[in-house]
Amino acid sequence: MNTYSFSIPQDIIVGRGSFEKLPESAKKLGGKHALILSGPSLYKYGLVDRAINLLATVGIQADYFIDIEANPSVTTVEKATGTFLDCGADFLIALGGGSPMDVAKAVAVVAKYGGKITEYEGGGKVPGKVIPQIAIPTTAGTGSEVTAFSVITDHERDYKLTVFSYELLPEVAILDPELIMTTPASVAAACGIDAFIHAQEAYISLAASPFSEAMSEKAMELIGSSIRRFVANRKDVEAAENMMTGSLFAGIAFSFARLGNVHAMSHPISAYFDVPHGVANAVLLPVVVEFNALADHGKYLKIYNTISHIKRYEEEFSHPMLAGAIRSLLAEIGIPGSIMEAIHGVKGKEEVTPEDVEKVLPAMVADAMKSGNIAVNPRVTTAKDIENLYHQAL
Ligand SMILES: [Zn+2]
């Protein structure tokens, strides 16, 4: 077993109606003026105004920046930082899915220390305390509310860069299941499976510890038992609560144990072809699970039993059954079955051919190999392995 340590230095509030605790949390933080980072659809839905009104009840002023895209860019971080500095805010509220939370963490650094977010790429580059943040996820989920990572797309390099520092952790995370009940089914499926993959990759990671394993196991159990119901009906209260808590625990698990080949390989697919993060992960999961089977020491059966319709004992189980159960789950919740199918589902990418993908494949392999997640994948992985895995998933 690896030596391990953990601390979760955040206030985490979970439960229906917990959004109403925003003013209390903001006051506790000592904030006087918030910049809310969110997206256009949540704004239209009235959630940003609801936050502004809640903050007004305790005399906290709020401005907002909602021009945030999926896979947010370096330019978006620059614009949001400009708004933060111009409006005189002293803390940030990220209201939305992974994108606003990634942007909030990046703004929290750049607004304090200047420069461009690209200068903080990697680990250990953030000099110290950053601008305080409150994270309020509206998907289940990225787990970004409890992770020390900010992932930003650099279009100059077609590369998703990661900034890693425990300073990035939001001071407060508010998880209200009511906020995920308006998620479209396709987003619920993609985000839900991403959360499951966080738990699954962290579970079998070489950096897993008894603590992260406990978080992973509970996360897989909650998500596995509820993802079908939640995709079928987002207003299913129990399913929404389970998905939200599962996503939270998965986030905690991978913030300590990191991930694996799926996430290492999915970032280039998103960077080159704009495939949503959850979908890019999902199409890779079965082939990576098959690849990693050789390294398994009993965990595959546990994973299988969290998602399969039929629970099995050890003597009834063989490794190929896990990839089979994953493929059937993905089909049931409407996730594409291959990289090409995923790319064709992106607006403007309908004409992309396998040959187009082949052209950038060497660069994608190189980018995947740069990910720190390769180093903790349970089966030792070479660039040739990554290339084979891309071909299998294509
Ligand atoms: Zn993910």
Side-chain angles (χ1 to χ4, degrees):
M1 194 207 303
N2 302 318
T3 305
Y4 70 100
S5 65
F6 60 89
S7 68
I8 307 176
Q10 297 177 275
D11 283 343
I12 301 172
I13 307 163
V14 191
R16 283 187 83 183
S18 55
F19 189 41
E20 302 288 328
K21 305 259 188 226
L22 174 61
E24 203 180 306
S25 297
K27 261 203 111 115
K28 209 171 137 191
L29 213 62
K32 296 198 165 45
H33 187 156
L35 177 68
I36 301 170
L37 299 173
S38 193
S41 51
L42 289 173
Y43 180 79
K44 244 182 263 160
Y45 183 65
L47 211 53
V48 174
D49 283 334
R50 231 182 107 193
I52 293 172
N53 293 336
L54 278 169
L55 292 165
T57 61
V58 291
I60 295 176
Q61 209 184 325
D63 283 277
Y64 59 84
F65 179 91
I66 54 163
D67 201 5
I68 298 177
E69 72 279 42
N71 302 317
S73 67
V74 174
T75 316
T76 299
V77 172
E78 273 168 15
K79 285 187 194 154
T81 306
T83 306
F84 179 85
L85 296 172
D86 289 345
C87 77
D90 56 2
F91 72 110
L92 291 154
I93 297 175
L95 178 61
S99 301
M101 288 189 272
D102 280 325
V103 174
K105 289 170 182 172
V107 171
V109 176
V110 179
K112 177 101 183 226
Y113 297 105
K116 278 181 86 170
I117 192 61
T118 45
E119 293 162 32
Y120 301 92
E121 185 176 348
K125 303 264 177 64
V126 178
K129 292 248 163 296
V130 301
I131 308 286
Q133 307 156 61
I134 297 178
I136 310 173
T138 59
T139 60
T142 62
S144 186
E145 67 276 10
V146 287
T147 70
F149 305 98
S150 170
V151 182
I152 302 293
T153 302
D154 184 353
H155 288 297
E156 278 178 26
R157 293 183 284 162
D158 277 334
Y159 184 71
K160 282 183 106 174
L161 67 94
T162 302
V163 179
F164 169 72
S165 165
Y166 286 106
E167 304 291 356
L168 299 184
L169 283 175
E171 268 74 0
V172 183
I174 297 174
L175 290 97
D176 186 341
E178 282 173 10
L179 301 186
I180 66 170
M181 291 183 185
T182 50
T183 316
S186 61
V187 177
C191 293
I193 203 67
D194 183 34
F196 181 82
I197 298 171
H198 294 154
Q200 185 270 340
E201 290 212 280
Y203 189 50
I204 61 170
S205 154
L206 294 177
S209 69
F211 169 71
S212 70
E213 284 174 351
M215 288 285 122
S216 283
E217 281 182 10
K218 189 65 190 177
M220 289 189 295
E221 180 194 314
L222 288 167
I223 298 167
S225 67
S226 298
I227 189 167
R228 293 174 175 89
R229 278 166 63 190
F230 184 61
V231 172
N233 174 16
R234 273 78 64 210
K235 299 252 182 321
D236 181 329
V237 178
E238 194 188 49
E241 286 171 346
N242 286 348
M243 291 303 292
M244 195 130 226
T245 307
S247 162
L248 168 71
F249 286 1
I252 294 172
F254 92 83
S255 74
F256 290 96
R258 288 185 278 162
L259 297 158
N261 285 0
V262 174
H263 273 78
M265 294 174 64
S266 77
H267 284 328
I269 299 178
S270 297
Y272 282 89
F273 301 104
D274 296 327
V275 174
H277 174 71
V279 176
N281 283 316
V283 296
L284 294 164
L285 182 63
V287 298
V288 173
V289 159
E290 282 163 349
F291 175 78
N292 283 334
L294 200 61
D296 180 48
H297 44 86
K299 287 179 169 174
Y300 269 42
L301 174 61
K302 287 190 181 171
I303 302 167
Y304 174 87
N305 278 334
T306 64
I307 53 164
S308 170
H309 290 291
I310 303 157
K311 310 282 172 253
R312 293 190 191 274
Y313 296 104
E314 208 175 332
E315 56 273 23
E316 308 166 315
F317 179 73
S318 62
H319 284 129
M321 288 160 83
L322 178 56
I326 290 166
R327 286 195 172 96
S328 102
L329 170 63
L330 297 180
E332 283 172 62
I333 61 174
I335 299 259
S338 68
I339 294 177
M340 285 317 298
E341 204 187 313
I343 293 174
H344 290 155
V346 177
K347 218 172 152 206
K349 306 282 179 199
E350 297 85 353
E351 307 298 322
V352 172
T353 62
E355 291 71 33
D356 295 329
V357 180
E358 288 292 344
K359 268 182 224 149
V360 292
L361 205 68
M364 287 170 63
V365 172
D367 288 347
M369 288 304 290
K370 281 184 212 152
S371 161
N373 290 319
I374 299 270
V376 294
N377 188 74
R379 181 170 172 180
V380 175
T381 306
T382 63
K384 188 77 202 153
D385 294 327
I386 294 292
E387 193 188 325
N388 288 340
L389 288 167
Y390 273 134
H391 279 134
Q392 283 169 34
L394 212 55

